[in-house]
């Protein structure tokens, strides 16, 4: 068995990319809305399910796609459209994606697709072509610890940043996501 090599710069890169994609800080207003609708959010459940989904997809994503008959490039291009739509939502303050019924709120839409959505999954497959798997897993875990902390403290964080602060954060991450969407699209179409 080969020796696992952890690379700090790879871990930092994957953590930052996933942080921008997951955008849990930008999602605080959505999380608060979901909490109002559902009455309660199981932060542990949401974080654990999202982590499991991401790690499973990191290992089995390519295989799953080949079973469906889709190549990673096509999936990445599709993902770039999803990320683009999410980014447009964030920048322009639109609602493209409708929320589901609140009963299963901790899993859908919180763990999937809000935290571990198509954008995140696509990003994981894209990262896998550039970075070592163990570094990506560390990036996922670091993000999930942060996500859990944010979910547990949404009200405090909302007070800390204020509505305006959260809106600015959301727009800033929206622009970062737009850039990521365009980069994904260009890399996978060769344009």
């Amino acid at each position: 068995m080969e020796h696992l090599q952890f690379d700090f710069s790879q871990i930092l890169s994957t953590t930052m990319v996933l942080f921008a994609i997951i955008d849990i800080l930008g999602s605080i207003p959505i999380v608060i809305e979901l909490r109002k609708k559902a009455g309660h959010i199981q932060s542990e459940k949401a974080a654990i399910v999202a982590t499991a989904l991401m790690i499973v997809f990191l290992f089995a994503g390519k295989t799953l796609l080949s079973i469906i008959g889709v190549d990673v490039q096509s999936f990445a291009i599709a993902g770039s459209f999803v990320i683009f739509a999410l980014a447009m939502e964030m920048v322009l303050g639109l609602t493209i994606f409708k929320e589901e019924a609140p009963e299963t709120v901790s899993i859908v839409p919180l763990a999937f697709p809000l935290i571990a959505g198509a954008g995140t999954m696509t990003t994981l497959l894209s990262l896998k072509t550039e970075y070592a798997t163990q570094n990506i897993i560390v990036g996922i875990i670091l993000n999930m610890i942060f996500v859990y902390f944010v979910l547990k403290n949404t009200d405090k964080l909302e007070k800390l940043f204020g509505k305006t602060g959260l809106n600015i954060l959301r727009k800033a991450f929206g622009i970062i996501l737009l850039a990521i969407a365009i980069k994904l699209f260009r890399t996978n179409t060769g344009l």
Side-chain angles (χ1 to χ4, degrees):
M1 188 173 150
E2 62 174 295
H3 181 64
L4 281 184
Q5 208 61 52
F6 289 99
D7 180 329
F8 182 72
S9 69
Q10 282 196 14
I11 289 170
L12 192 66
S13 294
T14 49
T15 304
M16 290 308 294
V17 170
L18 288 171
F19 183 77
I21 286 280
I22 294 167
D23 179 38
I24 195 66
L25 290 175
S27 299
I28 290 174
I30 304 169
V31 174
I32 290 165
E33 276 302 302
L34 290 173
R35 185 169 276 158
K36 273 184 207 146
K37 286 182 195 170
H40 171 66
I41 280 176
Q42 295 163 297
S43 310
E44 296 86 357
K45 195 173 177 183
I48 290 166
V49 169
T51 308
L53 278 172
M54 286 194 232
I55 291 173
V56 164
F57 198 80
L58 185 64
F59 285 104
K62 217 169 175 174
T63 315
L64 284 173
L65 291 179
S66 66
I67 291 169
I68 309 166
V70 176
D71 59 290
V72 177
Q73 277 74 24
S74 304
F75 188 78
I77 293 164
S80 75
F81 289 122
V82 174
I83 298 169
F84 187 82
L86 283 170
M88 291 308 279
E89 265 193 352
M90 290 160 76
V91 175
L92 303 174
L94 305 165
T95 305
I96 299 167
F97 297 99
K98 301 279 176 268
E99 273 89 26
E100 300 294 319
E103 294 77 54
T104 56
V105 109
S106 299
I107 307 298
V108 178
L110 195 55
F112 180 86
L114 203 63
I115 301 167
T120 311
M121 301 311 197
T122 312
T123 307
L124 286 173
L125 284 187
S126 304
L127 288 171
K128 201 173 175 178
T129 59
E130 292 176 50
Y131 302 117
T133 306
Q134 66 273 15
N135 297 325
I136 301 173
I137 291 173
V138 175
I140 292 172
I141 291 166
L142 289 174
N143 268 287
M144 287 300 116
I145 292 167
F146 186 71
V147 163
Y148 173 73
F149 168 77
V150 170
L151 292 178
K152 272 287 187 220
N153 300 286
T154 38
D155 298 331
K156 286 182 199 136
L157 289 164
E158 190 184 32
K159 283 188 190 84
L160 175 74
F161 289 117
K163 282 264 187 283
T164 317
L166 284 173
N167 276 334
I168 292 167
L169 262 177
R170 202 171 161 78
K171 291 198 186 328
F173 277 116
I175 291 164
I176 293 168
L177 279 187
L178 268 179
I180 292 169
I182 291 162
K183 182 175 184 261
L184 260 178
F185 184 79
R186 286 182 56 198
T187 309
N188 290 286
T189 53
L191 290 176

